[in-house]
Amino acid sequence: PEPPEGGWGWVVMLAAMWCNGAVFGIQNSCGVLFVSMLQLFGSSEDKQMAFKTAWVSSLSMGMVFFCSPIVSIFTDLYGCRKVAVIGAAVGLVGLFSSSFVSSIEPLYFTYGILFACGCSFAYQPSLVILGHYFKKRLGLVNGVVTAGSSLFTVSLPFLLRVLIDSVNLYNTLRVLCVLMFVLFLAGFTYKPLVPNTKDKEGGKKGKFKLPPAKKICNFSVFKVLSYRIWAFGIPTALFGYFVPYVHLVS
């Protein structure tokens, strides 16, 4: 269907903006959390402990993007709303469970994998759904949505610093769960306008039938030279992009 260029789409835009802000606001503020984790679980003088602590945030950032191809497939199969809501719920569980750990190792799973995978599943649909509601204004809408990550990234470190000094790291993580809970509710605004692959393949009976492999993973786009340059150039450019986020505060 033709994108409505507004209407409910503005609500979707605000929800996607919150998604970008919540996910990358927390991820990009990891330097503050890194210092706090290092003080709580070890010592800044212990180089081995610093390495182990940095792995928590590094693993989390890596998993957000590492899961992207898988999330894209699930989004095509089940639609933006289901994937975003389930992803936010998983991220909420991961972040909340991170506030109860007593050592650094469990954080690799709760924060580095569970929370990050949930963020990834919530984040990708927020980009896809915009194309369902906007076409002519898609550039403007994308700009507003991505501005959400900058607003949260600029402001959240100050809030985290105050919270950590006031109520400690564990309670700070629980406060951040509020952002994820709102993200969970925001996912319900992704009202589908385009039928997902599962619905199209299942028909009226609703029986699940796995679509052909070409519909799940279509690699024909790699035949386009400009796309290959872009697809391999961006990861190369981002190779060291997140390193300062982790270590600059320290």
Side-chain angles (χ1 to χ4, degrees):
E2 191 69 21
E5 300 293 343
W8 186 253
W10 298 120
V11 178
V12 173
M13 181 195 73
L14 293 176
M17 181 180 178
W18 181 274
C19 176
N20 272 254
V23 170
F24 290 107
I26 297 174
Q27 293 291 345
N28 293 344
S29 303
C30 64
V32 179
L33 298 177
F34 165 71
V35 172
S36 182
M37 289 177 188
L38 191 57
Q39 293 172 347
L40 180 64
F41 298 116
S43 169
S44 58
E45 303 299 325
D46 187 348
K47 299 299 181 183
Q48 184 62 25
M49 192 61 194
F51 173 80
K52 291 172 65 176
T53 305
W55 248 96
V56 175
S57 299
S58 298
L59 184 61
S60 181
M61 286 181 172
M63 289 302 296
V64 169
F65 297 102
F66 183 77
C67 292
S68 294
I70 302 172
V71 178
S72 297
I73 293 172
F74 273 88
T75 302
D76 285 340
L77 288 175
Y78 299 103
C80 295
R81 177 188 280 176
K82 291 180 181 177
V83 174
V85 169
I86 293 174
V90 172
L92 176 60
V93 171
L95 189 59
F96 187 68
S97 57
S98 297
S99 67
F100 293 96
V101 300
S102 57
S103 61
I104 199 70
E105 286 78 10
L107 283 174
Y108 294 148
F109 174 73
T110 60
Y111 190 92
I113 296 179
L114 201 60
F115 168 63
C117 288
C119 285
S120 185
F121 273 75
Y123 168 65
Q124 299 297 333
S126 73
L127 303 180
V128 176
I129 194 66
L130 297 177
H132 294 187
Y133 281 88
F134 297 95
K135 185 177 181 181
K136 295 179 181 178
R137 297 173 174 171
L138 187 58
L140 170 65
V141 170
N142 266 311
V144 173
V145 168
T146 53
S149 62
S150 66
L151 292 175
F152 277 67
T153 299
V154 168
S155 58
L156 203 55
F158 295 100
L159 175 62
L160 290 177
R161 188 72 273 162
V162 173
L163 286 173
I164 290 173
D165 292 340
S166 303
V167 297
N168 70 45
L169 176 64
Y170 293 128
N171 287 318
T172 298
L173 294 177
R174 290 163 195 160
V175 172
L176 291 178
C177 287
V178 176
L179 301 182
M180 296 303 297
F181 180 71
V182 176
L183 178 56
F184 169 76
L185 298 178
F188 286 100
T189 67
Y190 299 167
K191 182 181 178 181
L193 298 181
V194 179
N196 57 61
T197 304
K198 181 179 180 294
D199 291 339
K200 288 189 289 186
E201 295 294 331
K204 294 182 179 180
K205 295 181 179 179
K207 295 181 179 178
F208 178 73
K209 181 181 178 182
L210 192 67
K214 288 184 178 180
K215 286 190 176 182
I216 297 177
C217 297
N218 187 359
F219 294 102
S220 62
V221 68
F222 282 94
K223 295 179 181 178
V224 182
L225 176 61
S226 57
Y227 179 78
R228 292 201 303 271
I229 295 173
W230 179 84
F232 293 105
I234 295 297
T236 304
L238 293 177
F239 184 74
Y241 180 79
F242 288 104
V243 175
Y245 284 101
V246 178
H247 296 286
L248 188 60
V249 176
S250 179

